[in-house]
Amino acid sequence: MKRRWLMLFTGGFLAMGALVTGIGLLSAASEAQTGTESSPVKALAEREMYYPGSEDLGPNEMRVIACGTGMPNARPKQAAACWLVELGNGDKFLFDIGTGSAERISALQIPYNYLDKVFIGHLHSDHFGDLDALYCGGIVANRVVPLKVWGPSSIEPKYGTKVAMEHMEGMLAWDIDTRMGNTDTRGAFLDVTEFDYTAVNQVIYQENGVTIRTIPAIHIFDGAVSFILEWNGLKFCYSSDTFPNKWWMEYAQDADISIHECFIAPESLVEKQGFTPEAALNVGTQIHTSPAQFGKVMAATKPRMAVAYHFFNDFDTAPAVLREIRRTYDGPLALATDYMVFNVTKDDIRVRMAAIEEAVWPQPSTIPLVPPDPSLRRTAMSTMLLEGRVVHRDVLQEVYDDINQRFGSNEKVPE
Ligand SMILES: [Zn+2]
Ligand SMILES: [Zn+2]
């Protein structure tokens, strides 16, 4: 099996907070020494960074991008949980969409019509806190298809995904209703599928050669699940949040890429965040999976690539996480940080960081847009406000004339 560990030899490796370790280091070193001939004028033969939108995805390739790897309180370096899976058949799936992750998703410059499937592992805000941003922001950003959401039930309807989504739509009434009829708002609909959180290895999605199953997760309360996606002989497992459990041990075996929560080491919770030792041990080893337990899970399930996430991955916290994992696991490992990219094929797993342009714009719609349909309007401004408008008709007339001339429209300034 050929593995490339180019990141290990880049100067920015520690500065980026990324850490990839594992077997195959020696072969990578010799590969680097005997690599492609260098030239002072030619482009590099191989990119060590992923530039969004610049690479085809092979027909048998899976690309997984970390859009959120941190803790519940999003920070500039790390949003909360979110993983994008892109497949060579054209399908794309989001697993969790935690606070701050919508910004990471936008950086990937993917047309929003393709970002229409979200699988939520549980209803903590660090796992679905940016769903509203993708939902409403996506409408403005040219998504003209409904947003489809899958999520678990719980022991009572009020704790399940369906009720949560109904309440979210209620919360967004002003947002959605005021947009209707003012642009192409065909994407202003949610399509929600709630599935049984107790189901074991149950298929919740099967289309276009892709099968997604769920298994129960053990995390604070009933209503948390993990996901297993299989396509074209490749297996992707994503824990969302869970304490080590028997279902993961059984069904996440031999994954090509296995992303499992790995909470920050308890010592860091005490030293960096001021937790009491009691709270640090409770949160860090009982509610979540501690690094040494993460290692145990990976040693037992043997993925081709183990990915640890759900901790602040810094120069002064990563060593403790790595030390603890390495007590119990010596296989291939990535300590995730945002914008880490995994290209997975049958015979190669390549791990790089994405190079991000901050000033990105949404891509044009992949489906032709239609002009606003005033008959769809749900809200009308009151007379009191309408009568308060100060209309500079001469200026507006110029803008309308200019736009009509440039783009061939025939709009008249409203009376
Ligand atoms: Zn959680
Ligand atoms: Zn979480």
Side-chain angles (χ1 to χ4, degrees):
M1 190 193 308
K2 187 174 151 216
R3 281 214 172 85
R4 282 169 286 185
W5 301 93
L6 296 172
M7 281 184 46
L8 287 171
F9 307 101
T10 65
F13 154 59
L14 270 179
M16 290 188 295
L19 187 49
V20 181
T21 65
I23 57 172
L25 298 183
L26 287 175
S27 67
S30 57
E31 216 173 276
Q33 282 156 14
T34 59
T36 319
E37 199 179 324
S38 67
S39 159
V41 290
K42 298 280 187 202
L44 289 172
E46 190 159 28
R47 288 175 168 177
E48 295 179 24
M49 307 294 284
Y50 172 69
Y51 296 90
S54 71
E55 293 179 20
D56 293 348
L57 195 57
N60 297 310
E61 188 173 12
M62 170 189 286
R63 183 163 55 213
V64 178
I65 304 182
C67 296
T69 58
M71 308 266 275
N73 46 323
R75 60 178 189 164
K77 180 177 170 181
Q78 285 175 285
C82 181
W83 292 85
L84 172 71
V85 177
E86 301 180 276
L87 303 178
N89 69 356
D91 284 336
K92 300 184 195 300
F93 303 89
L94 285 162
F95 288 92
D96 283 340
I97 182 156
T99 312
S101 60
E103 181 186 310
R104 273 60 171 140
I105 294 167
S106 79
L108 302 176
Q109 302 184 57
I110 297 168
Y112 279 81
N113 284 334
Y114 297 156
L115 298 169
D116 65 339
K117 293 182 279 296
V118 183
F119 291 76
I120 297 170
H122 64 292
L123 294 166
H124 270 153
S125 58
D126 60 318
H127 293 258
F128 85 121
D130 259 14
L131 185 62
D132 57 347
L134 181 70
Y135 180 36
C136 298
I139 299 165
V140 182
N142 298 324
R143 189 194 65 244
V144 298
V145 295
L147 184 63
K148 300 191 212 58
V149 176
W150 287 258
S153 63
S154 184
I155 53 172
E156 284 183 66
K158 76 169 179 175
Y159 294 122
T161 301
K162 200 163 167 290
V163 170
M165 293 302 103
E166 284 164 9
H167 280 88
M168 188 179 85
E169 293 226 76
M171 178 184 87
L172 296 171
W174 206 93
D175 184 297
I176 297 292
D177 286 2
T178 58
R179 292 183 198 283
M180 292 301 284
N182 285 310
T183 56
D184 185 339
T185 39
R186 285 176 291 170
F189 297 93
L190 271 185
D191 180 347
V192 181
T193 304
E194 181 177 289
F195 56 83
D196 180 4
Y197 78 100
T198 66
V200 176
N201 208 32
Q202 176 176 283
V203 174
I204 56 162
Y205 179 96
Q206 195 154 42
E207 226 175 290
N208 204 13
V210 183
T211 302
I212 299 175
R213 296 183 165 84
T214 71
I215 52 175
I218 299 179
H219 177 56
I220 294 189
F221 180 52
D222 290 54
V225 300
S226 302
F227 295 106
I228 299 162
L229 178 152
E230 288 179 276
W231 165 74
N232 196 31
L234 294 175
K235 182 173 179 179
F236 160 94
C237 297
Y238 174 59
S239 75
S240 195
D241 281 358
T242 190
F243 191 80
N245 69 73
K246 63 180 185 179
W247 301 289
W248 183 274
M249 291 302 196
E250 181 172 355
Y251 296 105
Q253 288 285 337
D254 302 318
D256 293 280
I257 178 166
S258 184
I259 300 168
H260 195 288
E261 72 140 298
C262 171
F263 218 68
I264 196 135
E267 66 194 57
S268 299
L269 281 175
V270 176
E271 291 171 0
K272 303 276 291 187
Q273 209 160 323
F275 273 43
T276 62
E278 296 79 6
L281 286 169
N282 182 35
V283 174
T285 72
Q286 302 302 314
I287 292 172
H288 289 283
T289 296
S290 65
Q293 288 172 298
F294 169 91
K296 283 277 192 189
V297 169
M298 292 305 164
T301 51
K302 298 183 179 56
R304 283 175 65 209
M305 174 60 70
V307 183
Y309 92 103
H310 214 309
F311 62 96
F312 281 165
N313 188 350
D314 296 339
F315 71 92
D316 57 348
T317 55
V321 171
L322 185 61
R323 184 196 68 221
E324 289 297 301
I325 292 174
R326 286 306 187 205
R327 284 173 50 204
T328 54
Y329 173 66
D330 63 1
L333 172 67
L335 301 188
T337 195
D338 288 18
Y339 297 127
M340 194 177 274
V341 181
F342 303 80
N343 289 74
V344 182
T345 58
K346 274 285 175 205
D347 53 11
D348 190 25
I349 297 179
R350 186 180 191 190
V351 188
R352 296 172 293 173
M353 293 298 295
I356 296 304
E357 166 59 78
E358 293 192 340
V360 292
W361 283 67
Q363 293 294 304
S365 179
T366 56
I367 299 166
L369 295 179
V370 296
D373 177 354
S375 74
L376 296 176
R377 293 217 174 119
R378 292 179 182 170
T379 54
M381 199 180 280
S382 65
T383 311
M384 185 273 282
L385 293 176
L386 283 173
E387 288 177 354
R389 284 159 48 101
V390 178
V391 181
H392 300 288
R393 198 169 177 89
D394 51 340
V395 175
L396 286 176
Q397 189 62 56
E398 285 174 14
V399 173
Y400 270 65
D401 290 346
D402 178 51
I403 293 294
N404 285 336
Q405 193 196 342
R406 284 195 205 202
F407 302 107
S409 49
N410 188 29
E411 290 297 293
K412 298 191 170 37
V413 181
E415 288 304 322

